[in-house]
Amino acid sequence: MITKSKLTILFFACCLGLQAQEVLTKEQAVSIALDNNYGVKIAENAVTVAENNTNILNTGFLPTLTGSAGANYNLDNTEAEFSDGRPDAFLNGAESSNYNASLSLNYILFDGLGRRYNYKRLKEQYQLSELQARQTIETTILQLFSVYYNVAQLSDNLNALEETLNNTKDRLIRAEYQFEYGQNTKLEVLNAEVDINTDSINIINTKQDIKTAKRDLKFVLGETYSNDFNVETEVEFTLQLEKNSLLEKAKTRNVALLQTEKNILISELDINSGKSAYLPTIGLSGTYGWNKNDNNAVALLAISTNTGLSAGVNLSWNLFDGGSTITRVKNAKINLETQKLQKESILLSIERDFNNAWDNYQNKLEIYNIQEKNIVTAQNNFDRTQEKFKIGQVNSIEFRQAQVNLLNAELSRNQAKFSAKLSELEVLQISGELLNVEL
């Protein structure tokens, strides 16, 4: 009795543990992946760097201030002849020193508008880095749901396989009773045992596949989860927009297209920035300095100290730099033409990819709906076959065939369901709507 009580307590503890097992929802998975995925973190760092580059401290619009100081010591042997008739002087080891300090301010008033175009380019580069981060996020989300729904599909498959195994165990018990009372041969028992082994092996393999799939999911999540977990297996198809409406969105919101448009703007700014080298540069400079000299005995002044402020305007004009500016501008124009050609190419590929993804989604959605109806048919067939099997109107082979047909229908339905959902996400990604809908 004590042993039975311990086993009962252990059984209920295990049941409670299974019920309390954490369910990783789709929303939680997306949030964790965006917070911890290494690819997303790297993309966010790139955005931060691009944002820092747009700061006024990196634009060249501010002046530069330079401080300098120095000291010199001289020890000389001096022979001096004076023009006023004084006798010549001879000094050995004559000491003299000099001390100086200054602050210099330089500011460029005009550089051919080069700074202005460079600043605009940095702004566009920052927005381009945001689009690149968005592309990384979209790719990560698609990767996340690919492995998430793989776990979900395998979980549904496991439930179907376990239900099949339970039915086969019931069949074995019935066959053993019938054999015991002489109502059938040992062959029925052996067939049931073989089918139990087959179903058990399928369950073992599926459980191993689930473990592998969960490891893949943890990798996408950034290895945040250390404990076992379940996933949601229900899906909702959220795509409500018409095909033409989504196609128009794809031509204006697709992230690859938006990146190309940014590259076109950057190339135009590169041309203007290159042309700025044709114009002169005008700058202001100012210096405040202090200078002290300790002279030797033959100098006219023993000590002299100077402090003062100087300022000036300077102009420089690179009239010919060997042709490097001309070459740079030409290459920038060619690069602009290349970016425009890439945009046209991307537009064509977007339309092709969208139509393919849309047709694929519609096809898989129709297959899923057919598989749902097929489940009803297979379930009815199994229920009737099971009733006839219980009263001896069908043999174990026919019962097993109905059981396998139901299992295959369930497995096919599971595959069709998650395949259709992934196809829907692909359509949303191409149309630029992936981050604008509830997943």
Side-chain angles (χ1 to χ4, degrees), residues 19-237:
Q19 291 177 353
Q21 191 175 71
E22 183 178 2
V23 176
L24 178 65
T25 65
K26 293 186 286 289
E27 292 77 10
Q28 289 174 331
V30 172
S31 177
I32 293 170
L34 296 184
D35 288 338
N36 297 282
N37 182 269
Y38 294 109
V40 174
K41 286 184 176 181
I42 292 172
E44 290 175 347
N45 287 341
V47 172
T48 303
V49 170
E51 184 179 12
N52 292 337
N53 288 337
T54 62
N55 192 284
I56 192 173
L57 299 175
N58 190 51
T59 59
F61 281 106
L62 298 179
T64 61
L65 182 64
T66 304
S68 62
N72 293 302
Y73 174 78
N74 298 309
L75 184 62
D76 302 314
N77 294 326
T78 302
E79 180 179 346
E81 295 181 4
F82 298 101
S83 59
D84 57 359
R86 286 183 296 167
D88 296 344
F90 299 92
L91 296 176
N92 292 322
E95 295 182 355
S96 64
S97 59
N98 172 265
Y99 307 93
N100 62 83
S102 66
L103 287 175
S104 299
L105 180 71
N106 291 280
Y107 183 66
I108 297 176
L109 291 175
F110 179 75
D111 67 342
L113 301 178
R115 291 177 301 181
R116 179 187 174 196
Y117 292 125
N118 287 335
Y119 179 67
K120 288 183 176 181
R121 187 185 190 282
L122 291 173
K123 285 286 189 182
E124 297 296 335
Q125 191 70 42
Y126 167 62
Q127 295 176 10
L128 176 61
S129 66
E130 287 185 317
L131 291 172
Q132 292 169 343
R134 172 187 156 187
Q135 186 176 38
T136 301
I137 290 173
E138 290 181 356
T139 302
T140 301
I141 290 177
L142 287 178
Q143 182 186 11
L144 167 67
F145 278 107
S146 177
V147 293
Y148 185 94
Y149 286 137
N150 185 32
V151 176
Q153 180 181 337
L154 290 170
S155 298
D156 277 350
N157 291 350
L158 180 61
N159 291 333
L161 290 169
E162 289 176 342
E163 181 65 25
T164 300
L165 177 60
N166 290 333
N167 290 329
T168 307
K169 288 180 178 179
D170 291 340
R171 176 182 139 209
L172 175 61
I173 293 173
R174 180 177 295 275
E176 288 176 341
Y177 281 147
Q178 290 175 342
F179 174 72
E180 183 178 349
Y181 290 101
Q183 296 178 359
N184 62 19
T185 63
K186 184 68 173 179
L187 182 61
E188 295 291 336
V189 176
L190 296 176
N191 285 337
E193 289 177 347
V194 169
D195 291 337
I196 284 179
N197 291 334
T198 300
D199 295 341
S200 299
I201 291 173
N202 291 336
I203 289 176
I204 291 172
N205 289 332
T206 301
K207 286 183 176 179
Q208 179 59 41
D209 291 340
I210 290 176
K211 290 181 180 179
T212 302
K214 285 184 177 180
R215 292 190 189 101
D216 293 337
L217 180 54
K218 289 180 180 179
F219 178 78
V220 179
L221 295 176
E223 291 292 345
T224 303
Y225 273 74
S226 58
N227 298 326
D228 195 11
F229 58 91
N230 292 325
V231 298
E232 295 177 332
T233 58
E234 296 298 325
V235 299
E236 294 182 5
F237 296 97

Side-chain angles (χ1 to χ4, degrees), residues 257-309:
L257 178 64
L258 294 177
Q259 289 183 69
T260 304
E261 291 176 347
K262 282 298 174 186
N263 284 325
I264 289 176
L265 292 176
I266 291 174
S267 296
E268 291 174 346
L269 292 172
D270 285 339
I271 293 175
N272 293 328
S273 178
K275 288 181 177 179
S276 66
Y278 292 134
L279 299 176
T281 298
I282 301 174
L284 291 177
S285 62
T287 302
Y288 180 82
W290 170 80
N291 188 290
K292 179 182 179 181
N293 292 305
D294 290 333
N295 301 313
N296 56 36
V298 298
L300 181 62
L301 299 175
I303 298 176
S304 64
T305 303
N306 297 319
T307 58
L309 178 68

Side-chain angles (χ1 to χ4, degrees), residues 298-357:
V298 298
L300 181 62
L301 299 175
I303 298 176
S304 64
T305 303
N306 297 319
T307 58
L309 178 68
S310 63
V313 178
N314 55 75
L315 181 147
S316 64
W317 197 339
N318 194 349
L319 298 177
F320 183 68
D321 60 356
S324 60
T325 300
I326 296 174
T327 302
R328 187 163 56 251
V329 172
K330 284 183 177 180
N331 289 339
K333 290 180 178 179
I334 295 173
N335 187 51
L336 174 61
E337 184 64 25
T338 300
Q339 295 296 336
K340 290 180 177 179
L341 292 173
Q342 287 181 348
K343 179 181 177 180
E344 296 300 321
S345 176
I346 288 177
L347 281 172
L348 289 177
S349 64
I350 286 175
E351 186 168 359
R352 178 204 62 189
D353 294 343
F354 176 82
N355 287 326
N356 290 340

